[in-house]
């Protein structure tokens, strides 16, 4: 079993992203990781219904199960309440553990519930989407959305372990693979021209090949996130770079009432941010072309009929705004971004 080790210097926490060959191997590794602790396992209806993992191995895990409704609109207090109640009603205590088996939505919420349950208990991430594997399960950002904006309520708490199994991707719809690719492209723009070029090369291939081979590039993407999170767990500096495409993207998600999913909104947001930068001569137009091109080749839908004015208005609620100043992460070249303060 291969693994990637993450160490956050501030709190000296260490955890592994481990890779498991199949569901059977994942189930036995998860069982060993949990040990004799009580656990609540959180998932959503799609993962529960579509993937064989819970169907076949749930009994072995001796967990209490919480099955949430799927989707970003469920990322709210009511779901947190459901997770916490399952903890209390099943006698979990400070020595217990929560396990998220799902995409970024389930992962963010389970982590947040764990961070406030009896002032904080450990949690384990088992990401079931590509986006969850390469991005959301790593780095300890947890939380929920509220009427004031996305991810505005939350905590930073690192998971105890991240356990990855590619078998989950077999049931994942193409659109969800594309949402994950959007975050991988973002990682390339933020810090690795090589990763971006590898993705560009893959983008020229037919979709079935892309679907198959994208997994080969996932560890590189995870390593980019790992390096940034290790250097700046609390987002005092360079972790902000990972928000490239997200200030626009979160606003697009909000304005579309979450009909545009996170990954696709980030892709549109990356292109908007790149256009904004090129218009101000902060980067070449060639970068904008490459970015549009790679998303088009991967067939990530960049259409967005929301008025730009509405997107800017929604950006006013973004967490990255202090007073009337908004910090935008803009590209300088592929592999390098920087922050720029914009007055609204
Ligand atoms: N914490 C972080 O650092 C971080 C980073 C990036 C994104 N996020 C958050 O992650 C969320 C997006 O995550 P996502 O794209 O995984 O969305 P998601 O969790 O909504 O999953 C996408 C869809 O795929 C379904 N699904 C999940 N696994 C499946 C499987 N194996 N087979 C079939 N269907 C499956 C889900 O039910 C859902 O309908 C957003 O809320 C975003 O804010 C967090
Ligand atoms: Zn994201």
């Amino acid at each position: 079993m291969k693994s990637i080790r993450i160490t956050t210097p501030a709190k000296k926490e260490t955890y592994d992203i481990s890779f498991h060959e199949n569901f059977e191997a994942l189930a036995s590794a998860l069982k060993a990781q949990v040990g004799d602790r009580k656990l609540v396992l959180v998932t959503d209806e799609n993962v529960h219904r579509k993937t064989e993992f819970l169907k076949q191995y749930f009994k072995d895990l001796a967990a209490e199960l919480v099955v949430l409704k799927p989707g970003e609109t469920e990322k709210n207090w009511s779901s947190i309440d459901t997770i916490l109640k399952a903890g209390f009603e099943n006698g979990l205590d400070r020595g217990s553990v929560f396990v998220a088996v799902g995409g970024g939505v389930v992962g963010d919420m389970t982590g947040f519930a764990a961070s406030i349950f009896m002032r904080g208990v450990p949690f384990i991430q088992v990401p079931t989407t590509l986006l969850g594997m390469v991005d959301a399960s790593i780095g300890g950002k947890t939380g929920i959305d509220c009427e004031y904006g996305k991810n505005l309520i939350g905590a930073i708490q690192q998971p105890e372990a991240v356990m990855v199994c590619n078998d989950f991707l077999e049931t994942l719809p193409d659109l969800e693979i594309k949402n994950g690719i959007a975050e991988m492209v973002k990682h390339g723009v933020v810090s690795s021209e090589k990763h971006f070029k590898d993705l560009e090369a893959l983008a020229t291939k037919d979709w079935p090949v892309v679907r198959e081979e994208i997994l080969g590039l996932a560890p590189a993407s995870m390593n980019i996130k790992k390096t940034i999170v290790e250097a700046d767990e609390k987002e005092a500096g360079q972790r902000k770079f990972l928000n490239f495409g997200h200030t626009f993207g979160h606003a697009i998600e909000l304005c579309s009432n979450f009909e545009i999913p996170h990954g696709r909104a980030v892709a549109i947001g990356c292109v908007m941010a790149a256009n904004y930068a090129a218009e101000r001569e902060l980067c070449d137009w060639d970068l904008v072309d490459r970015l549009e091109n790679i998303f088009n080749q991967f067939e990530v839908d960049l259409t967005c009929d929301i008025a730009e004015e509405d997107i800017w208005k929604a950006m006013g609620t973004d967490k990255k705004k202090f007073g009337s100043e908004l910090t935008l992460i803009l590209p300088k070249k592929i592999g390098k971004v920087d922050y720029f303060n914009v007055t609204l």
Side-chain angles (χ1 to χ4, degrees), residues 205-226:
K205 301 191 178 163
D206 290 341
W207 178 251
V209 180
V210 170
R211 223 191 126 107
E212 190 72 26
E213 292 187 3
I214 193 69
L215 289 172
L217 297 180
S221 220
M222 293 171 187
N223 269 312
I224 290 170
K225 177 126 189 204
K226 160 201 151 81

Side-chain angles (χ1 to χ4, degrees), residues 135 183 186 246 262 266:
D135 198 346
E183 297 276 18
K186 174 201 77 176
H246 279 63
H262 181 73
V266 165

Side-chain angles (χ1 to χ4, degrees), residues 42 60 134 151:
V42 185
D60 293 358
V134 298
N151 297 337

Side-chain angles (χ1 to χ4, degrees), residues 14 16 33 37 39 52 54 94 102 147 168 175 183 185 215 217 221 236 241 288 290 302 304 323 327:
T14 296
D16 288 332
Q33 179 74 33
R37 292 177 291 176
L39 77 150
E52 288 302 310
L54 291 176
R94 292 212 173 90
E147 60 184 302
F168 282 115
L175 278 178
E183 297 276 18
V185 168
L215 289 172
L217 297 180
S221 220
F241 294 162
V288 183
R290 280 175 80 185
L302 294 177
C304 173
T327 303

Side-chain angles (χ1 to χ4, degrees), residues 34 151 235 274 319:
V34 169
N151 297 337
E235 203 172 294
K319 290 195 291 319

Side-chain angles (χ1 to χ4, degrees), residues 72-73 150 248-262 264-265 268 303-307 310-311 314:
E72 186 72 34
T73 49
K150 227 186 100 75
F248 289 99
H250 286 165
I252 291 165
E253 281 182 81
L254 274 179
C255 292
S256 76
N257 288 321
F258 297 108
E259 290 207 351
I260 298 184
H262 181 73
R264 190 181 140 211
I268 300 168
T303 53
C304 173
D305 55 11
I306 304 161
D310 292 338
I311 295 174

